[in-house]
Amino acid sequence: MEHRVHWLEGDATFTVASGESVLDAALRQRVALPHDCRFGGCGTCRVKLLQGSVQYEEQPFALGDEDMARGEAIACQARP
């Protein structure tokens, strides 16, 4: 199953394959999402979800429960 993501800040739309992270999918399709560490520790790839949901294998270090409640996500670890 594929998911469609629209990144408003960069005005780009791309697809994310099942099990793939949002960041990996963006980079694969040459969408330059900001990122640094790629393991959920720095928060550089933090995004705001306006619609839909994401899951994590483990909650990223850079994302607290309050952040998640506000609809924030860490793109390098988030899977739609």
Side-chain angles (χ1 to χ4, degrees), residues 43-70:
T44 303
C45 64
R46 184 181 300 256
V47 295
K48 172 83 171 169
L49 299 175
L50 299 179
Q51 187 176 356
S53 63
V54 295
Q55 298 176 1
Y56 302 98
E57 289 180 14
E58 293 182 22
Q59 185 170 332
F61 297 116
L63 191 68
D65 292 334
E66 291 177 5
D67 301 322
M68 289 175 45
R70 287 191 301 267

Side-chain angles (χ1 to χ4, degrees), residues 3-15 33 48 50:
H3 304 276
R4 197 173 111 184
V5 172
H6 183 78
W7 180 41
L8 294 175
E9 187 176 322
D11 192 29
T13 300
F14 56 95
T15 57
L33 283 179
K48 172 83 171 169
L50 299 179

